[in-house]
Structure formats: structure tokens, C-alpha cells
């Protein structure tokens, strides 16, 4: 009985590893192959690794460096703007007496119900009219629609963990409200801010639908640019693999760093998910 | 694991002993709070509520980027057309098939893995990291990896396995049924680790004493699972179901990259149909009506799920 059980566990473990690691590992392996090795049949697991594909996608004629730059500008811009707006709002919702607080909380939640495919149509018309298609400000402002509610919810949960005495002590000292918030409260939620930043960045980096509609030749994140390597006539397999790996790298690094908080980040405002997939 | 969301709807703890001086400070507090909230709320109104109202207005218009001379007020024409549109009903059915199958698979596989791995004493961190990988990736990248390196006929690894198993090379994304199965598998692959992580955390938070008591009662493993574990996990499971249903209904990137809704309309869930109508066929008016229909479906389904949740909580 006992051996049967441990056998079942080992089997599950094995399936788990193969099923979930393999597609990622396989992309990584492919990115180090020559076009010849990658097309080999049966698939090659052992081969002489080369950086040729990376050299080509980074410094070749179709360099994706401008696209990586685009992705970073969009993600960092979204993160900064989101945090500037979300931190004060979350503090007010978590700690202050606000008229209509219940309604405000519900409103933030309800905004997440809107299907992105619905709101992209008006965005598209408005941005086209004001000439903001294919601009960073256009994409970044629109990303607020999903990053802001998420960040407010996550930050509220961190603000709620601070003891009230902190503010009271500061008030007794005669410190103004803004000073208290900046000097006393914000340092208390540094960890929470870091986690929120990671998730907002991640969601902005991964967003696709808005980017597909709004991007052009100037603003073109990696997730869109990878299509350059796939065409009906010919797919540059090794280069495609290299681009995929480059696009995966930042989010995997952030995900692993934030792994302790990932469940919280994914389930915050549990009534509706944070991520926009 | 604390799965409930932050309690922002709750009132703040009452501060004892309000005096006249406090009342002035309370008014100041309100003003301060409003100043802190206003920028975020203005941004939210501008990026969510305004587009929603605009969307509803567009859905009452005839708006065709390909034929702008025909544009004008259409009243409920778009909605009347929608109700008589077989492609709409088909996409709605596909949405439901896609949502139900991916959510059920995620919960069942995620729960099974969580139950098995919970028993492991060492190496849980390794699995947590492995589980994080698919979840943090862009669905567009996941779609690209599967489409090219896993499913391409006579090149992808899955196809290689099928050939090796004597099934022959399959047209994984070119055959209508197979394409639907493929996009369901890809979504399940990416998001099962999420269900796994949440359920594993919930399992770890269950008190051991209950199991001890059950063991003394000589309940079998299956009995323990059905009568103890499952009811205790119910809130977490319901939460996973709600979250994943909402995401599956608006799944876009992976399907777009892998099949773009095709072949034909074989994987065109309602979300994809609204996109294609608006941005491929350039009928923004009708596309908006489809998006509103998707919103209504989302609201109906979430209402049902919330009722379920409340009933079970009671």
C-alpha cells in the first residue's frame, strides 16, 4: 500500500515536471541550435550549442532590441503611473473615513468585469482622433484600465496590515497628514509596493490585445514583434525561439523573485482575477 | 491560505471618544481622503466607464471603416442582426465549451496534483517555482511556443510523439475539432499551475486535527477526501472557478496567436468574433454589439457563480 502510494506520487511528480517544464525548456534548447540542428528529425536533444540565433535577433538586420526597449518603456511607464495613482487611493480606502467607501470598492471591482475587446473599440476611435495611435502615452494610459484596479486592491490589503497606532502616534507629534503618509506609512508598506510593482510590470509586459490594435512601427512590443519571424513562406525557427526566450526572461526572473507572494498577487480581489490574459 | 480579498468595503474601526475637536478633524480627514482618491478615480472613469458608455453608443450605430458613407444611427439593428446571426450563436457555444472544459480541467488536474504533492516532504519549493513559470508568461508567447515548437506538423514535439506512437502526423491546428482541442489544451497547460498553487496553499492551511479524528474513526482515504477535504476546500475551489471562468471568457492572446479563430471559425469564441468583426472586417458598430453581448454573458455567468458562492458560504 505504502509503496503504491509513493509510486503514484513519484509518477505525478514526473508528469508534472515533463508536462510543465518541457515546452519552456524545449524553446530554450531550440534557441541555441543552428537552423540545421533545429530541423533535424528526430528532434535533437544533444547538439553543439551556438549563439548564432541570439546574435541575429539582437544585432542582425531584424534586430528586436527596439522592441525590447518598447516593451520596457510601456511596462515601466505603466508601473510608475499606476503606482502614483494607486498608492494614495489605496491608503484612503484602507485607512480613512471616506463617504461611500462601499460603493467605491464595488466600483473598482466592477470595472474589471468589462471585456477588454469591448473597451478597445472606443479606445481605438478616440486615440485615432487625437493622433495617439502608435504612441507610448496612448498605450500607457489605456493600460491603467486593468493595472489600476488591480494595484489598488493589492495595496489596500497591505495598508490594512499596518497597526493604527502608527498614525495616531504621528498625529500626536503634530505631523501633517501628508507627512504622516509619506514618512510613516509608506515605509511600512515598502514590501507591498515592491510586490505590486512586480505584478503591474508583469501584466503590462504580457498584455497583447490592446498592443495588437494600438501598436505600429514606433511602439511595437516584443510580443507583437515576434511575428516578424513567422511567415507563410518561411519560419526562422531558431530565431523565433531566441525571441521567445528573450521575451520570457524578464517575467520569469520577476516571477521567481516574487514567488513567495505569487498566490496573493494572483488572487487579490479574489472575486475577480487581477491578471488580464 | 487567506483567499478572501481585502475587506475594503468594511467600515474602519471606530475610534473611541469623538469630541467636537474630533469632528472637525473628521471633516478634514474626509477632505484629505477625497483628494487622495480623486486622481485614481478620474483615471478609472476615463479608462473604463467612459469607454463603456461610448461602446454602448457605438453599438447603436452603423459604423463601418470600410464603408464610412453608410455610417449613421442604427438603433437596435445591430442587436437584431446579432440575434439572427448563426456565427454569433456558434461563437457563444464555442465560448461556453472553451470556458467549461478549461476550467474543469484546471480544477481537476490542479487539485489532483496538489493532493499528491502535499504529501511530499521535500522539494515543494522546486515545484512552486516550476508552477510559476507558465503562469507568469505572456499567453501570446505561450501560444507561439506551442504553435511552433510543439504542434507544427513534422516538426513539433507533440507531432513527433504522435508519429512515434504510430498515430501519424496530425494537422493539430488545421483540423477544426483538433484545433479546438489544441487551444483548450494550451490554456489548460498555462493555467493549471495557478489552480495547483492556490489549492496547495489552501490544503496546507487545513488543520491536521480533523484528519486525526477521521483516522480514529477509521474513515478510508477516499471517504476522508469526500467528507472532509473537499468541503473544507470548497471556498478555495469556488474562488478558482470564478476567477478562471472570467479569464477564460475573455481569453484572447493564445488563441489569436495559435489559430486566430480558425480554421474558418472553428476556434472563434465570442471574444475572438468581436475582435475579428471590429478589426479584421472593420465593422465597429456590429463588433461593439458583439462586445456588449459578451459583457452581458459575463455578467450573467458571474451572477450565477456569486449566488453559488453565497449559498455555499451560508
Amino acid at each position: 500500500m505504502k509503496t503504491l502510494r509513493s509510486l503514484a506520487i513519484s509518477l505525478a511528480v514526473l508528469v508534472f515536471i515533463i508536462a510543465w517544464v518541457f515546452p519552456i525548456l524545449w524553446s530554450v534548447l531550440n534557441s541555441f541550435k543552428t537552423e540545421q540542428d533545429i530541423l533535424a528529425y528526430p528532434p535533437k536533444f544533444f547538439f553543439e550549442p551556438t549563439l548564432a540565433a541570439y546574435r541575429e535577433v539582437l544585432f542582425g538586420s531584424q534586430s528586436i532590441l527596439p522592441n525590447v526597449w518598447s516593451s520596457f518603456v510601456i511596462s515601466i511607464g505603466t508601473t510608475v503611473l499606476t503606482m502614483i495613482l494607486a498608492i494614495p487611493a489605496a491608503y484612503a480606502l484602507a485607512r480613512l473615513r471616506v463617504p461611500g467607501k462601499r460603493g467605491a470598492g464595488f466600483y473598482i471591482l466592477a470595472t474589471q468585469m468589462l471585456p477588454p475587446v469591448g473597451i478597445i473599440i472606443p479606445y481605438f476611435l478616440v486615440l485615432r482622433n487625437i493622433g495617439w495611435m502608435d504612441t507610448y502615452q496612448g498605450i500607457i494610459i489605456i493600460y491603467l484600465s486593468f493595472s489600476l484596479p488591480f494595484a489598488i486592491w493589492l495595496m489596500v490589503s497591505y495598508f490594512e496590515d499596518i497597526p493604527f497606532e502608527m498614525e495616531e502616534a504621528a498625529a500626536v507629534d503634530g505631523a501633517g497628514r501628508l507627512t504622516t503618509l509619506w514618512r510613516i506609512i509608506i515605509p511600512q508598506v515598502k514590501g507591498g509596493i515592491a510586490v505590486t510593482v512586480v505584478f503591474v510590470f508583469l501584466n503590462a509586459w504580457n498584455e497583447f490585445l490592446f498592443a495588437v490594435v494600438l501598436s505600429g512601427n514606433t511602439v511595437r512590443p516584443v510580443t507583437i514583434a515576434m511575428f516578424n519571424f513567422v511567415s507563410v513562406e518561411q519560419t526562422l525557427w531558431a530565431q523565433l525561439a531566441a525571441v521567445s526566450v528573450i521575451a520570457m526572461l524578464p517575467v520569469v526572473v520577476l516571477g521567481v523573485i516574487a514567488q513567495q507572494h505569487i498566490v496573493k498577487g494572483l488572487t487579490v480581489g479574489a472575486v475577480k482575477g487581477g491578471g488580464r490574459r | 491560505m487567506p483567499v478572501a480579498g481585502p475587506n475594503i468595503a468594511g467600515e474602519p474601526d471606530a475610534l473611541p471618544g469623538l469630541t467636537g475637536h474630533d469632528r472637525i478633524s473628521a471633516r478634514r480627514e474626509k477632505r484629505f481622503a477625497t483628494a487622495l482618491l480623486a486622481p485614481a478615480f478620474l483615471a478609472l472613469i476615463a479608462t473604463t466607464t467612459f469607454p463603456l458608455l461610448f461602446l454602448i453608443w457605438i453599438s447603436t450605430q452603423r459604423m463601418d471603416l470600410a464603408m464610412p458613407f453608410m455610417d449613421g444611427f442604427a438603433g437596435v439593428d445591430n442587436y437584431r442582426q446579432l440575434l439572427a446571426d448563426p456565427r454569433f450563436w456558434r461563437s457563444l457555444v464555442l465560448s461556453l465549451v472553451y470556458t467549461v472544459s478549461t476550467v474543469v480541467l484546471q480544477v481537476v488536474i490542479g487539485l489532483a496534483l496538489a493532493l499528491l504533492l502535499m504529501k511530499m516532504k521535500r522539494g515543494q519549493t522546486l515545484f512552486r517555482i516550476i508552477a510559476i513559470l507558465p503562469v507568469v508568461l505572456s499567453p501570446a508567447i505561450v501560444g507561439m511556443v506551442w504553435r511552433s515548437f510543439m504542434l507544427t506538423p513534422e516538426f513539433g514535439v507533440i507531432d513527433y510523439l504522435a508519429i512515434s506512437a504510430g498515430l501519424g502526423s496530425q494537422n493539430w491546428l488545421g483540423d477544426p475539432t483538433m484545433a479546438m482541442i489544441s487551444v483548450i489544451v494550451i490554456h489548460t497547460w498555462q493555467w493549471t499551475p495557478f489552480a495547483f498553487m492556490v489549492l496547495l496553499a489552501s490544503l496546507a492551511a487545513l488543520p491536521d486535527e480533523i484528519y486525526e479524528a477521521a483516522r480514529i474513526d477509521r474513515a478510508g482515504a477516499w471517504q476522508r477526501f469526500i467528507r472532509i477535504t473537499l468541503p473544507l476546500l470548497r471556498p478555495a475551489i469556488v474562488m478558482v472557478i470564478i476567477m478562471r471562468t472570467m479569464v477564460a471568457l475573455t481569453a484572447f492572446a493564445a488563441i489569436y496567436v495559435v489559430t486566430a479563430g480558425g480554421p474558418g471559425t472553428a476556434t472563434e469564441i465570442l471574444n475572438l468574433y468581436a475582435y475579428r468583426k471590429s478589426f479584421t472586417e472593420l465593422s465597429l458598430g456590429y463588433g461593439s454589439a458583439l462586445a456588449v453581448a459578451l459583457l452581458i454573458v459575463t455578467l450573467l455567468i458571474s451572477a450565477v457563480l456569486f449566488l453559488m458562492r453565497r449559498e455555499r458560504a451560508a
Side-chain angles (χ1 to χ4, degrees), chain A residues 160-181:
Chain A
E160 279 178 339
D161 290 344
I162 315 171
F164 268 102
E165 292 79 45
M166 283 285 184
E167 281 140 301
E168 283 159 18
V172 170
D173 278 356
R177 290 193 177 281
L178 214 53
T179 322
T180 314
L181 173 59

Side-chain angles (χ1 to χ4, degrees), chain B residues 116-271:
Chain B
L116 283 171
L117 290 178
M118 187 187 55
K119 303 263 157 55
M120 275 189 40
K121 304 238 160 22
R122 279 173 300 160
Q124 280 209 2
T125 311
L126 174 70
F127 287 104
R128 242 199 340 242
I129 290 176
I130 291 174
I132 283 169
L133 295 179
V135 168
V136 296
L137 294 182
S138 164
I141 303 288
V142 167
M144 188 57 94
V145 164
W146 274 83
R147 164 191 149 164
S148 45
F149 304 120
M150 305 303 285
L151 296 175
T152 304
E154 292 177 351
F155 172 68
V157 173
I158 303 264
D159 201 55
Y160 169 69
L161 291 178
I163 294 170
S164 307
L167 299 169
S169 176
Q170 304 286 324
N171 202 352
W172 301 98
L173 303 174
D175 172 77
T177 315
M178 206 75 105
M180 188 65 185
I181 294 172
S182 296
V183 293
I184 288 173
V185 166
I186 294 169
H187 188 96
T188 306
W189 178 84
Q190 181 164 23
W191 298 111
T192 296
F194 166 83
F196 161 76
M197 282 190 284
V198 173
L199 295 173
L200 185 66
S202 306
L203 273 174
L206 295 184
D208 282 336
E209 296 84 40
I210 301 175
Y211 289 100
E212 295 304 325
R215 209 162 285 144
I216 294 165
D217 272 1
R218 299 191 173 192
W222 179 249
Q223 287 282 319
R224 281 205 300 270
F225 172 69
I226 292 292
R227 299 242 291 267
I228 302 173
T229 315
L230 211 51
L232 287 173
L233 274 186
R234 197 168 254 173
I237 294 175
V238 172
M239 185 197 69
V240 170
I241 291 176
I242 292 177
M243 293 183 67
R244 299 321 308 168
T245 301
M246 296 298 120
V247 175
L249 280 171
T250 53
F252 179 79
I255 302 180
Y256 180 86
V257 172
V258 172
T259 64
T265 56
T267 54
E268 190 182 73
I269 65 172
L270 181 49
N271 196 34

Side-chain angles (χ1 to χ4, degrees), chain A residues 74-95:
Chain A
I74 292 171
S75 308
I76 292 172
T78 304
T79 309
V80 170
L81 190 56
T82 301
M83 296 312 285
I84 289 174
L85 293 168
I87 291 175
Y91 172 70
L93 284 172
R95 306 311 291 256

Side-chain angles (χ1 to χ4, degrees), chain A residues 77-270:
Chain A
T78 304
T79 309
V80 170
L81 190 56
T82 301
M83 296 312 285
I84 289 174
L85 293 168
I87 291 175
Y91 172 70
L93 284 172
R95 306 311 291 256
L96 303 176
R97 273 162 288 188
V98 189
K101 185 188 257 192
R102 189 178 286 268
F106 180 77
Y107 172 71
I108 296 174
L109 213 64
T111 59
Q112 300 252 289
M113 286 285 187
L114 296 176
V117 74
I119 46 185
I120 188 62
I121 299 170
Y123 288 153
F124 167 75
L125 287 172
V126 170
L127 292 192
R128 208 176 51 143
N129 267 344
I130 61 174
W132 277 18
M133 288 291 284
D134 195 17
T135 62
Y136 286 112
Q137 66 269 30
I139 285 202
I140 288 172
I141 288 174
I142 280 163
Y143 277 14
L144 288 178
S145 66
F146 61 87
S147 68
L148 195 50
F150 169 77
I152 294 176
W153 276 92
L154 193 53
M155 282 313 300
V156 163
S157 72
Y158 287 107
F159 277 122
E160 279 178 339
D161 290 344
I162 315 171
F164 268 102
E165 292 79 45
M166 283 285 184
E167 281 140 301
E168 283 159 18
V172 170
D173 278 356
R177 290 193 177 281
L178 214 53
T179 322
T180 314
L181 173 59
W182 187 250
R183 292 260 176 81
I184 315 282
I185 308 293
I186 299 283
Q188 294 287 312
V189 289
K190 263 192 287 187
I193 292 176
V195 174
T196 311
V197 162
V198 165
F199 279 100
V200 171
F201 183 95
L202 227 135
N203 281 338
W205 184 276
N206 288 344
E207 205 285 331
F208 186 74
L209 169 57
F210 294 161
V212 142
V213 176
L214 301 175
S215 68
N217 290 327
T218 324
V219 179
R220 197 176 174 78
V222 196
T223 39
I224 310 291
M226 65 179 177
F227 284 97
N228 295 352
F229 299 88
V230 194
S231 69
V232 184
E233 307 89 53
Q234 183 198 21
T235 298
L236 303 161
W237 296 111
Q239 293 181 28
L240 179 63
V243 172
S244 306
V245 172
I246 290 169
M248 287 176 188
L249 215 56
V251 288
V252 167
V253 168
L254 286 177
V256 171
I257 290 175
Q259 57 128 331
Q260 296 286 342
H261 308 275
I262 214 119
V263 172
K264 180 169 185 171
L266 290 169
T267 55
V268 71

